[in-house]
Every structure is written in C-alpha cells, then in structure tokens.
C-alpha cells in the first residue's frame, strides 16, 4: 500500500534527553522548500541551524494550568499513581518536563556540568552545579549498516585564526526598517571611508556591525540624509508638500556607532579542533559575526526572508495563481562540524505577491471579484469589503499616475466609496477626490464605487485602487491554496543532480555568499566543492501484522521500504458497530453513490481485519453545503445525530461536496461539543473508489477508534536489552507548537505533547494540548501536560516509566536509500547528533531529519539510538511505509494542528475577533481551548483500546468534566 505522508514543512525537531533538534526558520517558512538530496551516491542533507549550545537550566515544574486544556483522564477504572505514591520515575536532580531521564541516575558520563558561583546563607561563595550543556557524543559514531559514499551540500570554510573581528553596536534615530537601515549603512560607508579606515563592514540590519579593522574612534556619530518622505509631509493623496519629481524631501537620521568587543578567532579554532576542551562552549559571538559577514553580499543583492534569500535572477518568476508568484532562492547557514567550519547552502522556493495593479490583483486573489472589471458600478458589501481589506492589508504599493519613487503601505480601506470622498488641499479648500484627479492628472476614476486605500494610520490619506501597483519582492503572507501549494512544490522539486547544479551555481554565482569582497576582507576561504563523506544504510526492522487472529511477520524489502496488506490484516483491528454518515452538498448522482461507497468501504475494512457495520445506527443525513457556513446550525445538526444514536456513536463519517473552511468548525464541534470522532472525505473521491483509496481511509478510521496498523516484531527490550526490560517500561514523548497565520497578530499558539501508552509495543499515543501566548515557541505548560501523560501511563501499564525519551518537533532536509544515517564529518564536532533519512523520497530529493541529543541519562550508544529512532519510524499508524520523522514528534505535530482547528472559526464574528492588530503594548492573552468532553485526546493520534471503549459505553460515560473532574454520563435517548 502507498499513502502520501502528511505534508510537514516548517518542522523543528528536538530531543530533549533525546532531543531532536534542527531548525531552519521559525514557522513562517511554511511555504518554503529546503530540500537536500541523496541519489546514486549523492547526499545533500540540509544542515539546519542548530541553536547555540546554551546552558540548559533545570526549571521547577510549573503550576497546574489556569486556562482550559484538551485531554481527560481515566477516573473510573484505576487509581492514580499519585495516590499510591510509588517510586518516582525521575531522578531528584532532573525534571521530567524538560529532559528525558532514567529512573536511577547512574552518573552523568555524557554530560558536562558547569559550576555556577552562588552565595550561601552565610554569604560565602560556593560552586553549585546547575547549568548543563548538551550531551556529548558517546563514541566515534555508529557502525551498523552498509557503508555508502555520499555528497553533502556543505562547503568547508577556512578562517585565519589570527583575524580579529571588531564588533560595533549601531543606534539609529529615528528607528528605521531593516531595508532603510541597510541604505543608511551603505551611504555611511561610502561617505566616511577615512574615519572607518577603509573598512567594508558587515551589517545585520539591526544593531550589529562587524569590521576587520578598528575604526578611528571607539565611538562615532554621523548624520545621514536619505530621500524618504516623512509622515508629516504626506498630503491626503499620498503626495509630499514639495512635488517629489522636482524637490525630493530628505529624511535625517542620527547614527551612533560604539565599539562593543574585539572577537578573537583562536577560540573558535580551538573549539573546532579535536584537542579542544569538551566543556568549553562554542564562541557564539565570533561564529555569529562570520555568519553575518557571509550573508552581507547576498543580502544586498537579494530579498531576505528569514534565513533564505530570493532573487529573480535565479531562474525567473513563475505565476502560481491567486495573485502570487514563485521565487527561487537559497538558504545558507554557517555550522560547526567535525570537518571544521562549514557553510550549508540549499535551494529554496517561496511565494511572493505578484507585482500587478490592485484591480487585477483582486480579480486573481478573490473568487467573488473575478468579474470586477465588468462591474465598475457596483461596490463592496458586508463580508466582501472585509475580505478585500484582509487581502490588501500591509501590502506596499506605488502609484502610476505620476512619477515618484515613493512607496506606501496599505493600512485599511476607506469607509466611503471613492466617489463620496472629499479632502482639503494645501490651502484648506475642500476638493472632491474624483474631480481632483480629473483636473490635475486628466484621469477619470473608473471604479468609483470601490473604497480607496488608506495609507496612513494617523490621518486621512487616500489612493484610488486603480492607480496603485503592488511593489515587487513582498513575501506572500496569505494562506496558499491547494493549487498554489502544488505549484510551489513543483518549483522546488528537483532531482538530486539538478539540485546539485543549482547549489553549485549559488556558491560561486553573482548573488551567492562568495560574490562580494567580504570573503577576502575577513580572511576567509569558502570551498567551491561539496563535502564528500560516508553514510550507512540501516536494515529495516521486522514488522508484526495481523492474519485472521494470528500474527504474521514481515520485513519491508522493497527499495522504498513500503509494504502492502493484500495478504494480511492490520495488527490490531477495531469493531465499529455504531456509526453514522452526514453529507454536505453533492449532486443527485453523487448522493446516489453513498450506498455503494458504504458497502465497498465495509468490505475493504473486512479485508484488513477491521469490522465496519454495514448498517449505520441512523439513516444517512443529507444537508445543504451551505450548512457549513452556519456554525450554530451545523452544531445542531451534529447533536441531533448524536441524540438519535443514543449518544453512542463511535464514528461520524462526513462527506463534502468540496473543501470548505467550515471543516475546522466541524472538527471542533464534533470533538469538543458533540463528543464523537469524525472522518471527512470529498464526493469527487467517491467517484473513483479504488482499493488504495479505501485502504487508506480504513487505516485512518482504524487508528482514530483505537486500532493499530503495525507493530515491531522484536520488542524494544529484545532490541536493546541493556536499557529496556519487559518489566521496566519506557515512555516515548513528542512535543510541538503551532503558531497562527503570519497576518494574525491575535490568536494564541497551540502546544501539544503526546506520550506512548503501551509497553513494550510503544505504538499507541495519548495527546495533551494547551493554548498559550501568541507565537511563544517555548511550551509554557509542559510540566502539567507531562504530568497528566504520566498519570495516564500509570493507569494503563500500572507502573511509571523507568525511562522517558522525549522528542521536540520543528524541520529538515533529502535520493538515498531509506535508513541512511550520517553521524560524521558534517555533524557537530562534539555534541551527540545525527542525520537520518528513514523514508523514501518519491519526488524531488529526499530530506533527512536532524536529531540532536540535548540530555541523556540512559547513556545510549550511537547505534542504539539510531536504530531505535529508525525502527520507530515504521510504526506510524496512518500508512504502510516508514515516515520521515519519528512518530512521537509527528503525532505531536498532528495534535497541535488539530488544536489550532479548534480555535479557528469561519463566521464573521471570528473574523472581527481575530483581525490583525498592528501594534500592542504586550502579547494578547491566550484564548483558552474549548473543553474536550470525551476521551478524544486518544483519538487524535489513535488510542483508546476496544476494551476501554466498551467499558466506557457500558457505563454510559461520554467523557470527563475537566473542572470538576467528574464523569459526564450520557443522557437518556431522545428518540431516533
């Protein structure tokens, strides 16, 4: 069987005692592709910029949450481990919320403890070991697997250790944007060569300036004038008080430069050498300075977006529809590796706003305005105006009715239509806007019933839409449609040899990191050749499937490591006796296909060892597609079905005419208000009921109601007996945070933590979710969620885990065989990390995941940990192939995404509530997640055992009230 693995682009993977950590950019990179490739001996693993090896402080367990949360506990079967007070699963020196630990601390052999001087009660100073650095590599690397030659997109950087770098702090007043700050720096350097002693410094666009020579004085002050209009100089139509084509007004900036430090390259050289002390932290200041130096020239010539840079010179611009175009670019990051300092360069693609007129842009962007050019006499009403304002907000534009270099940012739309707008001229005389443009520019405003663009926050300043053009080079911040995403993916989908040629073109090209003078200025030499190294291909694990009540073993032997279930069952199939179906939209022919669909799905389930009752508990409900637009009506429809089923539904199948934004409402209502797990599919897919589609659907349903697709034939205790025992359980945890849309400055982020609940199979997971501060990446209530998961684990296994393996999710990069692992040459010179490509890349170039161990009391060897992570990747419940990311981290991502759906609303009230706020004194308070009134935290990643389901239904229990911690019983049946 083949099933496309769920798309996951902006990932961050961190193991926190097992922390998987590798990170390109924060989540704004959701539309970028940063693939690296392996094929026929070529390997381009993306080295994601690791965070500096900052000291890891052990925090106290945070208090229980005050806001609502997802998840419930069993309160009707087993007492909590907290009541029995068994031995704790963690050492007294560490906290479960932060690190992966073993029950007994047998010595921190792989960690370094840095002493911190603290004053004791008597005032004397004592060294207190509290600050920790990341785990060190336990050996010289793994040995398991067949060795293969590879090529990595790392370019060795040689530095002169005697080269001193002068670090200066830059203060600019008034504070400019990064783009203007770079303009100021360019002009300052051009005009003050003598004072700067001929230096060509590198600037990060904020406050940091780096020079290879010392300036004349430690403190310098300059005044720089640039032709930038001030807010006070703008007139109501965006013009300046002096005509810009004749007398461009200058804006004055005061620049203060102060020497901060003198950075020595010998510290970095010592750290990179094999003779360097293990406990010495990496000299981050010098490394950051070099990173800024190598980005200076590309930043001047390209459009920077996060860690990537984009240019129209890299293969042109491609229209991806909807007012967006795809730009090609590259990602670069300087990394310490075992071979020395290396520059990781990779190819990337992202979406930008198309540089066209506003009218044409709206026609492409919004479906309801496709005929805008034919409806000049009609205006915008209700939701239409809100959608237009949402699409245009913060976009920079220029005008085409006069010659000017001015650029404006759209703040909002005017309340009145263009034909009703008046303004005062320089002499205070009231003028009608449409008359002004006719008299001064001989232009008749055509779209008089549309509002104007408001380009100032503080005072009226209007621009007619038809006279405005979108500036080039603005990253598309809206949510890409499925078609746009597919086109972007296709742009970034290159075979390894093509990708290799693109990357080599960047490293030596006119816009790449070696294109300017800074390499020579700072005595650096960047190799133009990729790094050659060896990798190892790990053997696939033996898997355990079902076969009519018997266990069948299987070793995936195909080149892509996929397997099928043609002659076997899922390892653990469920019985779905009570289920219902609701349809939204669809034509008569589509609706008539429902009985055939139910019959074929039931048959396919049976072939897989899953029982799906052919007779639904209530008749199929056929509703209008418009019901998905009405939240309250949708909720009443779903609750009516639940009541008709005597509040005993195991599954609600939802068939939709097409994709709709009401999907998020449906999921939230079903799982937090009604209390039933749902499975959605589209009518177009029902017209092609192939075995593959039905099998994929059956696997998802089975997982959601507590089944299991596959298990490892050899249990973890038999694989690593040194660490795992049958009676010494371990729990695998994963964590992730999802953030709101880039234009959303209001909605909270959602954090999720999952944990395995069975041993020794460790393939069923429970989830916990919390809303938290807007765009907060640190999980604020990690301790509380982990505590709940440990409570659940104790109730399932009857003892606490001896070991906790914790994965923190976040990104990646590439076509080598599945199971390829790299832990030499391009990995960290001292810390415990490795690259693992556990999956087969079906398109483009495969992308390996970077795992980085932050803390390890279990004392894993390289082979033990690499094989463990690799084998776990075969146990993902949604497909019959290994996945690219270890399942605990993958499930955490899915759970966090589901939590975000719970917060999304498609109605107008939600739009008004979550409309972007451009400035605020403090982050908004996190909106609490809705209470989950059922055991659906198990369904999110596929766990509630059939026996537990049966016990719950027999008891009439549909969930747990989290505030009172009391059981919620099903009401009496209200009829069918």
């Amino acid at each position: 069987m083949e099933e496309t693995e769920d798309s996951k682009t902006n990932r961050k993977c961190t193991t926190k005692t097992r922390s998987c950590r590798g990170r390109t950019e924060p989540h704004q990179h959701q539309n970028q592709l940063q693939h690296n490739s392996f094929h026929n001996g070529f390997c381009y693993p993306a080295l994601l910029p690791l965070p500096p090896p900052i000291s890891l402080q052990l925090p106290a367990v945070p208090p229980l949450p005050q806001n609502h949360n997802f998840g419930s506990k069993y309160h009707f079967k087993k007492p909590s481990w907290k009541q029995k007070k068994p031995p704790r699963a963690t050492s007294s020196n560490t906290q479960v919320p932060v690190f992966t630990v073993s029950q007994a601390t047998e010595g921190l052999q792989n960690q370094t403890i840095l002493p911190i001087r603290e004053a004791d009660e008597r005032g004397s100073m004592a060294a207190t070991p509290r600050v920790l650095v990341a785990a060190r590599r336990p050996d010289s690397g793994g040995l398991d697997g067949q060795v293969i030659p590879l090529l990595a997109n790392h370019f060795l950087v040689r530095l002169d250790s005697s080269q001193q770098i002068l670090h200066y702090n830059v203060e600019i007043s008034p504070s400019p944007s990064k783009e203007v700050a770079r303009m100021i720096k360019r002009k300052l350097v051009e005009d003050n060569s003598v004072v700067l002693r001929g230096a060509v410094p590198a600037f990060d666009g904020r406050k940091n300036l780096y020079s290879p020579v010392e300036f004349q004085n430690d403190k310098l002050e300059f005044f720089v004038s640039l032709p930038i209009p001030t807010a006070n100089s703008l007139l109501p139509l965006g013009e300046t008080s002096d005509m810009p084509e004749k007398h461009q007004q200058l804006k004055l900036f005061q620049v203060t430069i102060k020497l901060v430090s003198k950075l020595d390259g010998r510290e970095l050289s010592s750290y990179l050498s094999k003779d360097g002390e293990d406990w010495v932290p990496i000299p981050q200041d010098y490394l950051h300075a070099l990173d800024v130096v190598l980005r200076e020239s590309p930043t001047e010539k390209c459009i920077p977006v996060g860690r990537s840079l984009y240019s129209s010179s890299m293969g042109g611009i491609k229209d991806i529809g909807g007012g967006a175009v795809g730009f090609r670019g590259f990602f670069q990051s300087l990394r310490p590796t075992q071979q020395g300092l290396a520059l990781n360069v990779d190819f990337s693609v992202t979406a930008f706003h198309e540089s066209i007129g506003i009218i044409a842009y709206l026609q492409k962007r919004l479906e309801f305005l496709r005929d805008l050019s034919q409806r000049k006499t009609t205006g915008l009403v209700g939701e239409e105006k809100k959608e237009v304002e949402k699409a245009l907000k913060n976009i920079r534009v220029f005008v085409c009715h006069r010659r000017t270099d001015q650029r404006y940012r759209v703040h909002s739309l005017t309340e009145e239509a263009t034909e009703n707008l008046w303004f005062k001229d320089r002499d205070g005389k009231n003028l009608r806007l449409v008359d002004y443009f006719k008299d001064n520019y001989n232009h008749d405003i055509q779209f008089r019933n549309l509002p104007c663009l408001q380009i100032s926050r503080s005072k009226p300043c209007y621009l007619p839409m038809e006279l405005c053009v979108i500036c080039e080079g603005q990253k598309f911040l809206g949510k890409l449609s499925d078609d746009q995403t597919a086109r972007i993916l296709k742009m970034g989908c290159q075979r390894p040899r093509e990708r290799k040629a693109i990357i080599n073109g960047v490293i030596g090209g006119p816009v790449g990191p070696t294109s300017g003078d800074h390499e020579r200025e700072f005595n650096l030499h960047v190799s133009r050749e990729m790094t050659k190294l060896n990798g190892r291909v790990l053997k696939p694990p033996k898997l355990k499937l079902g076969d009519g009540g018997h266990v069948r073993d299987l070793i995936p032997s195909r080149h892509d490591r996929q397997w099928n279930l043609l002659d076997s069952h899922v390892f653990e199939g469920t019985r779905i006796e009570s289920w219902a179906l609701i349809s939204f939209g669809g034509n008569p022919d589509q609706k008539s296909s429902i009985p055939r669909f139910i019959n074929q799905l039931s048959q396919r389930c049976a072939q897989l060892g899953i029982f799906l009752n052919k007779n639904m508990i209530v008749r199929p409900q056929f509703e209008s597609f418009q019901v998905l637009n009405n939240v309250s009506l949708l909720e009443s429809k779903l609750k009516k079905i639940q009541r008709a089923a005597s509040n005993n539904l195991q599954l609600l199948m939802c068939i939709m005419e097409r994709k709709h934004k009401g999907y998020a409402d449906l999921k939230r209502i079903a799982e937090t208000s009604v209390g039933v797990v749902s499975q959605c599919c589209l009518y177009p897919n029902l017209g092609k009921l192939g075995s593959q589609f039905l099998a994929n659907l059956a696997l998802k349903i089975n997982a959601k109601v507590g089944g299991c697709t596959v298990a490892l034939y050899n249990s973890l205790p038999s694989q690593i007996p040194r660490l795992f025992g049958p009676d010494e359980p371990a729990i695998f945890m994963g964590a992730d945070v999802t953030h709101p849309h880039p234009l959303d400055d209001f909605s909270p982020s959602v954090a999720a933590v999952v944990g395995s609940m069975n041993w020794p199979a460790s393939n069923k997971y429970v989830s916990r979710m919390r809303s938290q501060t807007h765009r907060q990446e640190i999980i604020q209530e990690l301790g509380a969620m982990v505590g709940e998961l440990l409570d659940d684990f104790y109730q399932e296994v009857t003892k606490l885990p001896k070991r906790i393996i914790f994965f923190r999710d976040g990104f990646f990069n590439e076509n080598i065989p599945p199971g390829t692992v790299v832990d030499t040459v391009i990995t960290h010179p001292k810390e415990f990390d490795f690259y693992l490509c556990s999956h087969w890349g079906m398109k483009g170039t495969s992308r390996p995941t970077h795992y980085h161990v932050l803390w390890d009391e279990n004392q894993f060897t390289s082979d033990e940990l690499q094989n463990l992570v690799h084998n776990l990747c075969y146990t993902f419940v949604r497909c019959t192939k290994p996945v690219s990311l270890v399942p605990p981290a993958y499930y955490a991502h899915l759970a966090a995404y589901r939590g975000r759906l719970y917060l999304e609303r498609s109605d107008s009230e939600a739009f008004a509530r979550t409309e972007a706020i451009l400035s605020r004194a403090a982050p908004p308070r996190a909106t609490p997640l809705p209470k989950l009134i059922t055991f659906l935290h198990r369904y999110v990643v596929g766990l509630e055992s059939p026996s537990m389901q049966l016990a719950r239904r027999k008891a009439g229990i549909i969930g747990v009230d989290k505030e009172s911690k009391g059981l919620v019983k099903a009401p009496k049946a209200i009829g069918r």
Side-chain angles (χ1 to χ4, degrees):
M1 289 178 54
E2 299 176 359
E3 179 181 29
T4 303
E5 182 187 343
D6 290 18
S7 156
K8 191 164 176 20
T9 56
N10 290 325
R11 285 182 189 166
K12 167 178 153 188
C13 192
T14 344
T15 23
K16 280 209 176 203
T17 329
R18 265 328 20 84
S19 177
C20 284
R21 183 161 188 162
R23 180 172 184 175
T24 41
E25 253 328 273
H27 293 290
Q28 67 256 38
H29 274 310
Q30 59 187 351
N31 300 323
Q32 289 183 11
L33 303 177
Q34 297 184 345
H35 299 183
N36 292 334
S37 33
F38 295 72
H39 181 63
N40 295 335
F42 291 107
C43 152
Y44 319 125
L47 273 187
L48 311 174
L50 276 178
I54 31 181
S55 308
L56 303 175
Q57 306 239 356
L58 299 176
V61 178
L64 289 175
Q66 296 179 353
N67 66 334
H68 294 305
N69 57 76
F70 285 110
S72 54
K73 305 177 187 176
Y74 298 125
H75 291 277
F76 64 94
K77 188 172 182 181
K78 298 175 184 175
S80 168
W81 61 272
K82 297 174 184 176
Q83 297 171 355
K84 290 182 139 183
K85 296 185 179 178
R88 289 297 300 251
T90 66
S91 84
S92 59
N93 295 329
T94 57
Q95 301 292 329
V96 174
V98 181
F99 304 106
T100 304
V101 296
S102 61
Q103 186 169 16
T105 304
E106 299 172 354
L108 309 180
Q109 297 179 7
N110 292 336
Q111 289 71 238
T112 302
I113 301 180
L114 300 181
I116 289 200
R117 294 274 175 187
E118 289 189 350
D120 59 20
E121 295 178 356
R122 293 170 294 184
S124 61
M125 301 301 292
T128 305
R130 287 179 53 198
V131 183
L132 311 171
V133 297
R136 296 313 190 204
R137 194 177 304 279
D139 45 41
S140 59
L143 299 174
D144 289 353
Q146 179 183 356
V147 176
I148 59 171
L150 302 171
L151 192 64
N153 56 340
H154 283 218
F155 299 86
L156 188 64
V157 178
R158 300 197 183 279
L159 65 148
D160 183 352
S161 61
S162 64
Q163 174 67 57
Q164 194 177 58
I165 296 180
L166 289 304
H167 178 198
Y168 291 89
N169 181 70
V170 180
E171 295 287 346
I172 304 177
S173 179
S175 181
S177 66
K178 289 182 70 173
E179 182 180 2
V180 173
R182 290 190 178 280
M183 294 168 59
I184 295 171
K185 177 258 180 183
R186 282 198 297 269
K187 183 167 178 56
L188 188 152
V189 172
E190 289 172 3
D191 296 346
N192 299 277
S193 177
V194 175
V195 178
L196 302 182
R197 290 186 171 167
V200 183
F203 182 45
D204 69 355
R206 297 184 182 91
K207 291 180 175 292
N208 299 298
L209 187 76
Y210 299 99
S211 171
V213 298
E214 194 167 354
F215 300 156
Q216 279 189 353
N217 298 302
D218 291 350
K219 181 178 179 180
L220 299 170
E221 288 192 357
F222 305 92
F223 289 92
V224 178
S225 297
L226 291 178
I228 299 174
T230 62
N232 293 332
S233 68
L234 286 179
L235 293 176
L237 298 182
E239 300 170 346
T240 54
S241 53
D242 295 309
M243 294 304 289
E245 56 268 28
K246 296 180 180 179
H247 306 288
Q248 178 66 64
Q249 183 168 340
L250 299 178
K251 185 170 183 178
L252 188 65
F253 295 91
Q254 181 180 9
V255 183
T256 303
I257 299 177
K258 294 181 181 178
L259 179 65
V260 176
S261 61
K262 299 178 180 180
L263 307 178
D264 193 335
R266 287 173 294 186
E267 292 183 13
L268 180 58
S269 295
S270 175
Y271 180 87
L272 294 172
S273 70
K274 298 187 184 302
D275 300 328
E277 296 286 346
D278 278 349
W279 65 270
V280 175
I282 186 171
Q284 258 320 309
D285 290 345
Y286 199 91
L287 187 65
H288 177 70
L290 294 181
D291 189 61
V292 173
V293 167
L294 290 174
R295 288 179 65 85
E296 177 73 9
S297 184
T299 302
E300 293 287 340
K301 302 169 184 176
C302 302
I303 304 167
V305 178
R307 299 291 301 179
S308 296
L309 300 116
Y310 296 89
S311 171
S312 57
S313 66
M314 288 188 61
I317 301 172
K318 183 174 182 180
D319 187 352
I320 62 171
V325 292
F327 268 52
R328 289 183 172 182
F330 62 95
F331 162 90
Q332 72 173 60
S333 175
L334 197 61
R335 294 292 310 277
T337 69
Q338 293 184 34
Q339 67 171 337
L341 208 57
L343 187 67
N344 173 219
V345 180
D346 195 12
F347 170 66
S348 61
V349 179
T350 198
F352 284 76
H353 291 288
E354 187 176 4
S355 182
I356 54 176
I358 289 290
I359 298 298
Y361 176 80
L362 291 176
Q363 288 181 273
K364 288 187 171 188
R365 178 82 185 268
L366 300 173
E367 184 71 32
F368 62 86
L369 292 180
R370 293 292 159 87
D371 62 343
L372 183 58
S373 58
Q374 279 78 48
R375 45 180 277 195
K376 296 180 181 179
T377 59
T378 59
L380 301 175
V381 294
E383 294 299 311
E384 290 183 344
K385 186 175 181 181
K386 291 181 179 179
E387 289 296 319
V388 170
E389 186 168 276
K390 183 179 177 182
L392 296 179
K393 198 163 191 173
N394 292 323
I395 288 180
R396 296 194 306 275
V397 299
F398 64 90
V399 294
C400 58
H401 66 282
R402 58 188 175 89
R403 303 176 75 180
T404 177
D405 293 329
Q406 289 176 258
R407 300 294 181 262
Y408 312 95
R409 188 180 297 275
V410 178
H411 180 259
S412 60
L413 301 182
T414 58
E415 292 294 330
E416 297 288 338
T418 301
E419 66 176 358
N420 298 325
L421 288 174
W422 292 70
F423 68 97
K424 291 184 178 181
D425 66 4
R426 296 185 182 92
D427 301 321
K429 180 182 178 181
N430 279 332
L431 296 176
R432 190 172 180 232
L433 185 141
V434 293
D435 295 337
Y436 175 85
F437 278 95
K438 178 63 177 176
D439 295 342
N440 288 271
Y441 299 102
N442 194 30
H443 179 81
D444 285 314
I445 301 296
Q446 300 295 308
F447 295 87
R448 299 187 171 206
N449 291 298
L450 292 179
C452 276
L453 304 181
Q454 168 66 24
I455 58 171
S456 173
R457 299 182 192 176
S458 56
K459 62 181 182 181
C461 198
Y462 314 133
L463 289 177
M465 288 189 185
E466 64 196 73
L467 299 179
C468 295
V469 180
I470 295 175
C471 299
E472 188 178 35
Q474 300 180 75
K475 188 175 187 307
F476 190 88
L477 296 179
K479 184 176 181 180
L480 293 179
S481 68
D482 290 344
D483 288 341
Q484 288 174 319
T485 301
R487 294 185 181 114
I488 278 286
L489 289 172
K490 187 175 182 180
M491 281 188 69
C493 189
Q494 272 78 31
R495 300 304 297 173
R497 292 186 183 277
E498 297 170 352
R499 197 177 201 88
K500 177 175 179 278
I502 293 174
I503 294 171
N504 283 335
V506 167
I507 199 69
V511 299
T514 64
S515 59
D517 298 328
H518 290 84
E519 183 183 10
R520 183 186 69 254
E521 283 276 318
F522 288 82
N523 285 328
L524 299 173
H525 178 265
V526 181
S527 172
R528 273 52 170 182
E529 299 292 328
M530 289 188 177
T531 298
K532 296 178 181 179
L533 69 154
N534 288 330
R536 294 172 290 111
V537 181
L538 302 178
K539 293 181 179 179
K542 183 186 288 189
L543 304 178
K544 191 163 27 175
L545 302 172
D547 186 12
H550 303 285
V551 174
R552 178 190 167 209
D553 65 290
L554 167 75
I555 297 179
S557 56
R558 284 177 37 168
H559 71 284
D560 57 7
R561 296 297 184 257
Q562 296 191 29
W563 65 94
N564 62 57
L565 296 172
L566 293 178
D567 301 320
S568 59
H569 295 167
V570 295
F571 178 65
E572 186 179 316
T574 54
R575 291 189 63 84
I576 305 171
E577 302 274 4
S578 174
W579 69 288
L581 183 146
I582 185 170
S583 163
F584 298 99
N587 58 45
D589 288 341
Q590 289 175 325
K591 294 177 183 178
S592 66
S593 68
I594 291 293
R596 180 172 65 92
F597 164 66
I598 295 172
N599 183 62
Q600 293 190 21
L601 178 61
S602 179
Q603 289 180 9
R604 192 69 183 97
C605 283
Q607 293 168 0
L608 295 172
I610 306 164
F611 176 78
L612 179 67
N613 195 340
K614 290 186 178 180
N615 300 313
M616 290 176 285
I617 197 167
V618 294
R619 289 184 301 175
Q621 304 293 303
F622 294 95
E623 304 292 346
S624 165
F625 192 63
Q626 302 306 315
V627 170
L628 292 170
N629 291 322
N630 190 320
V631 175
S632 58
L633 180 59
L634 176 62
E635 183 168 357
S636 68
K637 296 289 186 182
L638 299 188
K639 285 185 174 180
K640 182 180 178 181
I641 295 176
Q642 176 72 305
R643 289 195 301 270
S646 303
N647 295 293
N648 199 33
L649 278 183
Q650 292 175 269
L651 172 70
L652 179 63
M653 183 76 72
C654 306
I655 315 294
M656 298 181 182
E657 180 181 308
R658 60 181 182 273
K659 290 186 177 181
H660 191 279
K661 61 185 179 180
Y663 169 83
D665 291 318
L666 190 151
K667 286 292 184 180
R668 175 179 52 80
I669 293 168
E671 297 173 4
T672 67
S673 179
V674 178
V676 62
V677 66
S678 58
Q679 176 62 54
C680 299
C681 56
L682 303 177
Y683 266 119
N685 293 330
L686 267 59
K688 42 186 177 182
L689 291 177
S691 176
Q692 185 66 62
F693 169 75
L694 293 170
N696 292 342
L697 195 61
L699 290 183
K700 287 186 177 181
I701 292 173
N702 187 57
K704 288 183 178 182
V705 295
C708 171
T709 303
V710 67
L712 296 174
Y713 192 88
N714 298 314
S715 67
L716 296 180
S718 66
Q719 292 182 38
I720 315 178
R722 186 181 68 84
L723 293 177
F724 299 125
D727 298 323
E728 295 179 340
I731 185 172
F732 292 88
M733 291 185 172
D736 193 15
V737 178
T738 63
H739 302 292
H741 188 273
L743 290 178
D744 186 340
D745 192 40
F746 179 87
S747 300
S749 295
V750 176
V753 182
V754 304
S756 58
M757 290 291 122
N758 57 335
W759 179 259
S762 297
N763 60 355
K764 294 186 177 181
Y765 287 79
V766 165
S767 68
R768 287 293 185 276
M769 309 173 209
R770 297 285 197 280
S771 60
Q772 62 181 39
T773 304
H774 177 77
R775 301 206 183 283
Q776 171 64 260
E777 183 64 27
I778 296 174
I779 300 177
Q780 295 172 323
E781 296 185 20
L782 181 63
M785 288 189 280
V786 168
E788 293 174 15
L789 291 172
L790 289 177
D791 193 14
D792 279 354
F793 186 91
Y794 178 75
Q795 294 176 51
E796 289 289 328
V797 185
T798 70
K799 60 175 66 175
L800 284 173
K802 183 177 181 181
R803 304 181 190 279
I804 302 173
I805 293 85
F806 194 103
F807 295 88
R808 177 68 161 92
D809 181 32
F811 333 17
F812 329 100
N813 271 16
E814 253 185 271
N815 272 344
I816 49 176
T820 299
V821 63
V822 172
D823 60 3
T824 60
V825 185
I826 60 173
T827 49
H828 196 278
K830 293 181 174 63
E831 296 174 4
F832 192 1
D833 68 331
F834 59 93
Y835 291 89
L836 173 63
C837 185
S838 51
H839 68 300
W840 172 255
M842 298 180 65
K843 294 182 178 180
T845 337
S846 301
R847 311 184 310 178
T849 302
H850 188 193
Y851 295 90
H852 200 103
V853 180
L854 297 187
W855 181 252
D856 182 15
E857 290 182 4
N858 299 297
Q859 300 176 32
F860 280 101
T861 66
S862 294
D863 280 329
E864 286 173 340
L865 183 57
Q866 291 163 10
N867 278 293
L868 173 64
V869 172
H870 176 239
N871 291 347
L872 288 175
C873 290
Y874 282 77
T875 65
F876 192 68
V877 295
R878 289 191 172 190
C879 55
T880 55
K881 63 181 180 182
V883 290
S884 62
L885 179 66
V886 67
Y890 208 143
Y891 291 142
H893 170 77
L894 296 176
Y897 175 74
R898 176 58 52 84
R900 175 138 311 283
L901 284 183
Y902 292 159
L903 292 173
E904 291 181 358
R905 298 289 297 271
S906 62
D907 54 17
S908 58
E909 177 186 354
F911 177 85
R913 184 178 70 252
T914 60
E915 189 176 13
I917 300 172
L918 295 179
S919 62
R920 55 174 74 252
R925 184 178 178 181
T927 303
L929 292 169
K931 288 191 293 185
L932 190 66
I933 65 167
T934 70
F935 292 98
L936 290 174
H937 65 286
R938 296 182 170 264
Y939 296 135
V940 170
V941 291
L943 171 63
E944 182 180 13
S945 65
S947 60
M948 195 61 72
Q949 292 179 28
L950 184 61
R952 176 170 58 81
R953 290 199 299 272
K954 284 184 177 179
I957 297 168
I958 61 171
V960 176
D961 187 301
K962 290 296 292 183
E963 291 182 352
S964 64
K965 295 187 178 179
L967 299 177
V968 178
K969 292 234 177 184
K972 300 233 181 229
I974 310 179
R976 296 182 181 271

